[in-house]
Amino acid sequence: MPFVTQTEVGVPRPDSIQGPSATLISGDWYPAVRADLLRRNQLATAMLLDIPLVLGRRGDGRVFAMRDSCPHRGIPLSVGWFDGNRVTCRYHGWEFEPCGGQCQLIPSLTTHDKLDATRIYATAFPCEERDGHAWVYIPGPGSGRRSSDGLPPLPEVKKFGPRYRTAFLTADLPCNVDHGIIGLMDPAHGPFVHQAWWWRSRASIREKTKRFEPIPEGFRMSAHAPSGNSAPYKLLGVYGQPVETTIDFVLPNRRTEIIRCGDKWFSSLTTVTPVTASTCRIDVVAAWNVFYYVPFVTPVAKFFGARFVRQDQSTMIQQAEGLKHNPSLMLIDDADKPAKWYFALKQARLDGDPSKHPMDGPIDLHWRS
Protein backbone atom coordinates (compact mmCIF):
# COMPACT_ATOMS: atom_id res chain seq x y z
CA MET A 1 0.00 0.00 0.00
CA PRO A 2 2.21 2.89 -1.17
CA PHE A 3 1.54 6.45 -0.11
CA VAL A 4 1.84 9.46 -2.41
CA THR A 5 2.31 13.06 -1.34
CA GLN A 6 -0.11 15.42 -3.08
CA THR A 7 0.34 19.17 -3.42
CA GLU A 8 -1.93 21.93 -4.62
CA VAL A 9 -0.55 25.35 -5.58
CA GLY A 10 2.64 24.43 -3.79
CA VAL A 11 0.90 23.87 -0.45
CA PRO A 12 1.60 20.49 1.21
CA ARG A 13 -1.48 18.35 1.72
CA PRO A 14 -1.95 15.27 3.87
CA ASP A 15 -0.44 12.13 2.37
CA SER A 16 -2.97 9.99 0.54
CA ILE A 17 -2.79 6.23 0.76
CA GLN A 18 -4.30 3.64 -1.51
CA GLY A 19 -6.42 0.79 -0.23
CA PRO A 20 -7.43 -1.75 0.56
CA SER A 21 -5.03 -4.25 -1.12
CA ALA A 22 -1.66 -4.94 0.52
CA THR A 23 1.50 -6.78 -0.45
CA LEU A 24 2.34 -9.50 2.05
CA ILE A 25 5.85 -9.85 3.47
CA SER A 26 7.35 -13.34 3.30
CA GLY A 27 10.71 -14.47 4.61
CA ASP A 28 9.75 -14.14 8.28
CA TRP A 29 8.11 -15.81 11.30
CA TYR A 30 4.36 -15.56 11.93
CA PRO A 31 2.21 -17.03 14.74
CA ALA A 32 -0.06 -19.66 13.22
CA VAL A 33 -2.07 -21.23 16.06
CA ARG A 34 -1.98 -21.54 19.82
CA ALA A 35 0.29 -24.41 20.72
CA ASP A 36 -2.23 -25.96 23.12
CA LEU A 37 -4.43 -26.75 20.09
CA LEU A 38 -1.72 -29.07 18.74
CA ARG A 39 -2.30 -32.42 20.39
CA ARG A 40 -0.57 -35.67 19.62
CA ASN A 41 -2.13 -37.73 16.83
CA GLN A 42 -4.37 -34.81 15.81
CA LEU A 43 -4.16 -32.29 12.98
CA ALA A 44 -5.10 -28.62 13.03
CA THR A 45 -5.43 -26.11 10.20
CA ALA A 46 -4.53 -22.46 9.79
CA MET A 47 -4.09 -19.88 7.04
CA LEU A 48 -1.03 -17.62 6.79
CA LEU A 49 -0.34 -15.21 3.92
CA ASP A 50 -3.02 -16.96 1.83
CA ILE A 51 -1.23 -20.30 2.38
CA PRO A 52 -3.35 -23.14 3.83
CA LEU A 53 -1.45 -24.97 6.55
CA VAL A 54 -1.87 -28.24 8.40
CA LEU A 55 -0.14 -28.38 11.78
CA GLY A 56 0.37 -30.95 14.47
CA ARG A 57 2.61 -32.28 17.21
CA ARG A 58 4.73 -35.38 16.71
CA GLY A 59 4.97 -38.11 19.30
CA ASP A 60 8.26 -36.63 20.52
CA GLY A 61 6.53 -33.28 21.20
CA ARG A 62 7.94 -31.37 18.24
CA VAL A 63 5.46 -29.16 16.36
CA PHE A 64 5.29 -29.05 12.56
CA ALA A 65 3.62 -27.14 9.75
CA MET A 66 3.00 -28.29 6.18
CA ARG A 67 1.14 -26.85 3.23
CA ASP A 68 -2.30 -28.41 3.47
CA SER A 69 -2.02 -30.07 0.09
CA CYS A 70 -0.78 -33.48 -1.02
CA PRO A 71 1.79 -33.06 -3.83
CA HIS A 72 0.15 -35.97 -5.68
CA ARG A 73 -3.39 -34.77 -6.41
CA GLY A 74 -3.77 -31.74 -4.15
CA ILE A 75 -6.27 -33.09 -1.63
CA PRO A 76 -5.86 -31.41 1.77
CA LEU A 77 -3.60 -33.46 4.03
CA SER A 78 -5.71 -32.29 6.96
CA VAL A 79 -8.51 -34.66 5.92
CA GLY A 80 -6.13 -37.59 6.21
CA TRP A 81 -4.60 -39.32 9.20
CA PHE A 82 -1.75 -38.65 11.62
CA ASP A 83 -0.33 -41.34 13.91
CA GLY A 84 2.13 -39.13 15.75
CA ASN A 85 4.91 -39.91 13.30
CA ARG A 86 3.58 -39.68 9.75
CA VAL A 87 0.83 -37.75 7.97
CA THR A 88 -1.13 -40.02 5.62
CA CYS A 89 -3.11 -38.75 2.63
CA ARG A 90 -6.63 -40.16 2.62
CA TYR A 91 -6.79 -40.28 -1.21
CA HIS A 92 -3.99 -42.75 -2.05
CA GLY A 93 -2.34 -43.36 1.32
CA TRP A 94 0.92 -41.53 0.64
CA GLU A 95 2.79 -41.08 3.92
CA PHE A 96 4.95 -38.07 4.82
CA GLU A 97 7.36 -37.23 7.62
CA PRO A 98 5.78 -33.93 8.68
CA CYS A 99 8.75 -31.80 9.84
CA GLY A 100 10.69 -32.15 6.59
CA GLY A 101 7.86 -33.19 4.29
CA GLN A 102 9.70 -36.21 2.88
CA CYS A 103 7.49 -38.95 1.44
CA GLN A 104 8.06 -42.25 3.24
CA LEU A 105 5.64 -44.55 1.46
CA ILE A 106 3.54 -44.78 -1.70
CA PRO A 107 1.35 -47.86 -1.20
CA SER A 108 0.56 -48.30 -4.92
CA LEU A 109 4.18 -48.89 -5.92
CA THR A 110 5.17 -52.45 -6.86
CA THR A 111 8.49 -54.21 -7.42
CA HIS A 112 8.18 -53.22 -11.08
CA ASP A 113 8.28 -49.48 -10.24
CA LYS A 114 11.58 -47.62 -10.13
CA LEU A 115 10.23 -44.48 -8.43
CA ASP A 116 12.00 -43.64 -5.17
CA ALA A 117 9.24 -42.28 -2.91
CA THR A 118 11.77 -40.60 -0.62
CA ARG A 119 12.75 -38.21 -3.42
CA ILE A 120 9.26 -36.68 -3.25
CA TYR A 121 8.52 -33.91 -0.75
CA ALA A 122 5.37 -32.25 0.43
CA THR A 123 5.92 -28.59 1.33
CA ALA A 124 6.95 -28.26 4.97
CA PHE A 125 7.76 -25.03 6.79
CA PRO A 126 10.07 -24.36 9.75
CA CYS A 127 7.86 -24.41 12.84
CA GLU A 128 8.81 -23.66 16.44
CA GLU A 129 6.93 -23.27 19.70
CA ARG A 130 7.38 -20.11 21.78
CA ASP A 131 5.22 -18.23 24.30
CA GLY A 132 2.28 -20.56 23.71
CA HIS A 133 2.24 -20.12 19.92
CA ALA A 134 3.33 -22.32 17.05
CA TRP A 135 5.38 -19.92 14.92
CA VAL A 136 5.81 -20.71 11.22
CA TYR A 137 8.49 -19.32 8.95
CA ILE A 138 7.06 -18.46 5.54
CA PRO A 139 9.96 -18.32 3.02
CA GLY A 140 10.01 -16.12 -0.02
CA PRO A 141 8.85 -17.54 -3.36
CA GLY A 142 11.36 -19.86 -4.98
CA SER A 143 13.57 -20.21 -1.90
CA GLY A 144 13.11 -24.00 -1.73
CA ARG A 145 12.99 -26.15 1.38
CA ARG A 146 14.19 -24.43 4.56
CA SER A 147 15.28 -25.71 7.93
CA SER A 148 15.29 -23.59 11.07
CA ASP A 149 19.06 -23.12 10.78
CA GLY A 150 20.17 -19.66 9.72
CA LEU A 151 16.73 -18.09 10.05
CA PRO A 152 15.96 -14.85 11.91
CA PRO A 153 15.52 -15.24 15.68
CA LEU A 154 12.14 -16.45 16.82
CA PRO A 155 10.07 -13.58 18.31
CA GLU A 156 9.23 -13.80 21.99
CA VAL A 157 7.88 -11.80 24.89
CA LYS A 158 10.70 -10.33 26.94
CA LYS A 159 10.89 -11.45 30.56
CA PHE A 160 12.89 -9.93 33.37
CA GLY A 161 12.80 -12.65 35.99
CA PRO A 162 11.83 -16.28 36.60
CA ARG A 163 8.49 -15.53 38.29
CA TYR A 164 5.74 -14.06 36.15
CA ARG A 165 2.20 -14.53 34.95
CA THR A 166 1.03 -14.61 31.36
CA ALA A 167 -2.12 -14.02 29.34
CA PHE A 168 -3.15 -14.21 25.71
CA LEU A 169 -5.78 -12.42 23.60
CA THR A 170 -6.73 -12.67 19.94
CA ALA A 171 -9.18 -11.14 17.48
CA ASP A 172 -9.86 -11.57 13.77
CA LEU A 173 -9.92 -8.36 11.73
CA PRO A 174 -11.77 -8.00 8.39
CA CYS A 175 -9.06 -5.81 6.86
CA ASN A 176 -5.69 -6.23 5.22
CA VAL A 177 -2.57 -6.33 7.33
CA ASP A 178 -1.56 -2.74 6.51
CA HIS A 179 -4.76 -1.30 7.95
CA GLY A 180 -4.41 -3.58 10.96
CA ILE A 181 -0.83 -2.46 11.62
CA ILE A 182 -1.34 1.28 11.22
CA GLY A 183 -4.35 0.92 13.51
CA LEU A 184 -2.11 -0.85 16.02
CA MET A 185 0.39 2.01 16.10
CA ASP A 186 -2.16 4.84 15.90
CA PRO A 187 -1.80 7.07 19.00
CA ALA A 188 -4.83 9.31 18.41
CA HIS A 189 -7.78 6.90 18.51
CA GLY A 190 -7.61 6.02 22.22
CA PRO A 191 -10.05 8.62 23.65
CA PHE A 192 -12.63 7.73 21.00
CA VAL A 193 -12.35 3.98 20.41
CA HIS A 194 -11.34 3.03 23.96
CA GLN A 195 -13.64 5.26 25.97
CA ALA A 196 -14.08 3.72 29.42
CA TRP A 197 -13.85 4.82 33.02
CA TRP A 198 -10.77 2.65 33.45
CA TRP A 199 -8.94 3.89 30.36
CA ARG A 200 -9.68 7.12 28.49
CA SER A 201 -12.42 9.64 27.73
CA ARG A 202 -12.73 12.58 25.36
CA ALA A 203 -12.31 14.90 28.34
CA SER A 204 -8.89 13.37 29.02
CA ILE A 205 -7.37 14.51 25.71
CA ARG A 206 -4.13 16.41 26.19
CA GLU A 207 -1.11 17.35 24.12
CA LYS A 208 1.75 14.88 24.17
CA THR A 209 5.33 14.85 22.97
CA LYS A 210 7.16 11.58 22.39
CA ARG A 211 10.66 10.96 21.12
CA PHE A 212 11.15 8.30 18.44
CA GLU A 213 14.41 6.78 17.28
CA PRO A 214 15.28 4.44 14.40
CA ILE A 215 16.10 0.78 15.06
CA PRO A 216 16.82 -1.93 12.44
CA GLU A 217 13.67 -2.41 10.30
CA GLY A 218 11.60 -0.44 12.78
CA PHE A 219 11.40 2.43 15.21
CA ARG A 220 11.22 2.95 18.95
CA MET A 221 9.19 5.27 21.12
CA SER A 222 11.99 6.06 23.53
CA ALA A 223 11.66 5.36 27.24
CA HIS A 224 9.16 7.78 28.75
CA ALA A 225 6.69 8.15 31.59
CA PRO A 226 3.41 6.51 30.46
CA SER A 227 0.27 8.53 29.84
CA GLY A 228 -1.11 10.00 33.03
CA ASN A 229 -4.66 9.91 31.66
CA SER A 230 -4.83 6.08 31.67
CA ALA A 231 -6.03 4.41 34.86
CA PRO A 232 -4.01 1.16 34.47
CA TYR A 233 -0.75 3.12 34.42
CA LYS A 234 -1.80 5.09 37.49
CA LEU A 235 -2.17 1.84 39.44
CA LEU A 236 1.56 1.28 39.20
CA GLY A 237 2.01 4.35 41.39
CA VAL A 238 1.33 2.17 44.44
CA TYR A 239 4.89 0.86 44.15
CA GLY A 240 6.26 4.36 44.79
CA GLN A 241 8.81 4.14 42.00
CA PRO A 242 9.09 5.99 38.67
CA VAL A 243 7.23 4.25 35.85
CA GLU A 244 8.85 4.06 32.42
CA THR A 245 7.56 2.68 29.12
CA THR A 246 9.38 1.74 25.91
CA ILE A 247 7.51 0.75 22.73
CA ASP A 248 9.11 -0.78 19.63
CA PHE A 249 7.68 -1.59 16.23
CA VAL A 250 9.67 -3.96 14.01
CA LEU A 251 8.79 -5.43 10.62
CA PRO A 252 6.92 -7.34 9.56
CA ASN A 253 4.21 -6.92 12.20
CA ARG A 254 5.49 -6.72 15.79
CA ARG A 255 4.85 -4.21 18.52
CA THR A 256 6.56 -4.75 21.85
CA GLU A 257 5.86 -2.72 24.97
CA ILE A 258 7.90 -2.87 28.17
CA ILE A 259 6.81 -1.08 31.35
CA ARG A 260 9.27 -0.94 34.23
CA CYS A 261 8.64 0.25 37.79
CA GLY A 262 11.67 -0.60 39.88
CA ASP A 263 11.90 -4.38 39.90
CA LYS A 264 8.28 -4.67 38.72
CA TRP A 265 7.59 -5.04 35.02
CA PHE A 266 4.99 -5.70 32.34
CA SER A 267 5.93 -6.87 28.84
CA SER A 268 3.77 -7.57 25.79
CA LEU A 269 4.21 -8.69 22.21
CA THR A 270 1.42 -7.78 19.80
CA THR A 271 1.40 -9.09 16.24
CA VAL A 272 -0.90 -8.35 13.33
CA THR A 273 -0.69 -11.44 11.14
CA PRO A 274 -1.85 -11.53 7.50
CA VAL A 275 -4.25 -14.44 7.13
CA THR A 276 -5.26 -13.63 3.57
CA ALA A 277 -4.67 -10.59 1.38
CA SER A 278 -7.80 -8.98 2.82
CA THR A 279 -7.99 -10.30 6.41
CA CYS A 280 -5.63 -10.41 9.37
CA ARG A 281 -5.52 -11.43 13.02
CA ILE A 282 -4.25 -9.60 16.07
CA ASP A 283 -2.57 -11.63 18.82
CA VAL A 284 -1.41 -10.24 22.16
CA VAL A 285 0.84 -12.19 24.51
CA ALA A 286 1.77 -10.55 27.81
CA ALA A 287 3.96 -11.42 30.77
CA TRP A 288 4.27 -9.54 34.07
CA ASN A 289 5.24 -9.66 37.71
CA VAL A 290 3.29 -6.55 38.81
CA PHE A 291 0.68 -7.39 41.47
CA TYR A 292 2.04 -10.94 41.32
CA TYR A 293 0.54 -11.98 44.66
CA VAL A 294 -2.80 -10.19 44.23
CA PRO A 295 -5.61 -12.75 43.77
CA PHE A 296 -7.50 -12.87 40.46
CA VAL A 297 -5.14 -10.47 38.69
CA THR A 298 -4.85 -12.69 35.61
CA PRO A 299 -8.61 -13.15 34.97
CA VAL A 300 -9.24 -9.46 35.68
CA ALA A 301 -6.45 -8.44 33.30
CA LYS A 302 -7.80 -10.76 30.61
CA PHE A 303 -11.33 -9.39 31.06
CA PHE A 304 -10.32 -5.77 30.57
CA GLY A 305 -7.76 -6.67 27.92
CA ALA A 306 -10.41 -8.56 25.95
CA ARG A 307 -12.72 -5.54 26.10
CA PHE A 308 -9.88 -3.35 24.84
CA VAL A 309 -9.17 -5.66 21.88
CA ARG A 310 -12.88 -6.02 21.08
CA GLN A 311 -13.15 -2.24 20.82
CA ASP A 312 -10.40 -2.24 18.21
CA GLN A 313 -12.02 -5.19 16.44
CA SER A 314 -15.41 -3.47 16.33
CA THR A 315 -13.84 -0.33 14.88
CA MET A 316 -12.02 -2.30 12.19
CA ILE A 317 -15.26 -4.07 11.25
CA GLN A 318 -16.92 -0.69 10.84
CA GLN A 319 -13.96 0.64 8.87
CA ALA A 320 -14.12 -2.38 6.55
CA GLU A 321 -17.59 -1.30 5.46
CA GLY A 322 -16.20 2.01 4.25
CA LEU A 323 -13.16 0.43 2.62
CA LYS A 324 -15.40 -1.79 0.44
CA HIS A 325 -15.90 1.25 -1.79
CA ASN A 326 -12.15 1.89 -2.20
CA PRO A 327 -12.15 5.50 -0.95
CA SER A 328 -9.19 7.87 -1.07
CA LEU A 329 -7.42 7.89 2.30
CA MET A 330 -4.87 10.19 3.91
CA LEU A 331 -2.13 10.34 6.51
CA ILE A 332 -1.31 13.50 8.45
CA ASP A 333 1.53 14.74 10.65
CA ASP A 334 2.45 14.12 13.46
CA ALA A 335 0.09 11.44 14.73
CA ASP A 336 0.31 9.44 11.48
CA LYS A 337 4.06 9.74 11.10
CA PRO A 338 4.66 6.18 12.45
CA ALA A 339 2.30 4.87 9.76
CA LYS A 340 4.37 6.65 7.11
CA TRP A 341 7.54 5.13 8.53
CA TYR A 342 5.92 1.70 8.42
CA PHE A 343 5.04 2.01 4.73
CA ALA A 344 8.55 3.23 3.89
CA LEU A 345 10.18 0.42 5.88
CA LYS A 346 7.93 -2.14 4.26
CA GLN A 347 8.71 -0.85 0.78
CA ALA A 348 12.43 -1.01 1.54
CA ARG A 349 12.04 -4.66 2.61
CA LEU A 350 10.05 -5.48 -0.54
CA ASP A 351 12.70 -3.74 -2.65
CA GLY A 352 15.38 -5.95 -1.10
CA ASP A 353 17.05 -3.07 0.75
CA PRO A 354 16.02 -3.52 4.42
CA SER A 355 18.88 -1.30 5.59
CA LYS A 356 17.21 1.73 4.00
CA HIS A 357 15.46 3.70 6.73
CA PRO A 358 13.04 6.66 6.56
CA MET A 359 14.46 8.13 9.79
CA ASP A 360 17.91 9.71 9.89
CA GLY A 361 17.94 10.11 13.66
CA PRO A 362 15.77 10.73 16.74
CA ILE A 363 12.75 13.00 16.29
CA ASP A 364 10.07 14.42 18.59
CA LEU A 365 6.46 14.01 17.51
CA HIS A 366 3.52 15.96 18.93
CA TRP A 367 -0.18 15.10 19.01
CA ARG A 368 -3.25 15.30 21.21
CA SER A 369 -4.83 12.15 22.63
Side-chain angles (χ1 to χ4, degrees), residues 77-90:
L77 291 170
S78 59
V79 301
W81 301 276
F82 176 52
D83 64 1
N85 184 40
R86 296 181 181 182
V87 173
T88 302
C89 176
R90 73 173 297 118

Side-chain angles (χ1 to χ4, degrees), residues 161-176:
R163 298 171 66 92
Y164 55 85
R165 302 185 187 276
T166 62
F168 161 72
L169 297 169
T170 188
D172 294 316
L173 304 179
C175 63
N176 69 57

Side-chain angles (χ1 to χ4, degrees), residues 273-291:
T273 296
V275 178
T276 68
S278 59
T279 62
C280 60
R281 186 187 70 249
I282 184 170
D283 293 301
V284 184
V285 181
W288 67 88
N289 74 345
V290 293
F291 306 117

Side-chain angles (χ1 to χ4, degrees), residues 301-334:
K302 292 186 69 172
F303 173 79
F304 286 109
R307 284 192 59 187
F308 193 89
V309 171
R310 281 198 301 270
Q311 289 169 335
D312 280 320
Q313 182 185 41
S314 176
T315 300
M316 301 306 286
I317 291 172
Q318 294 164 344
Q319 183 190 32
E321 288 299 312
L323 293 176
K324 287 180 181 178
H325 308 288
N326 199 28
S328 295
L329 308 175
M330 65 177 62
L331 297 175
I332 64 173
D333 289 333
D334 274 3

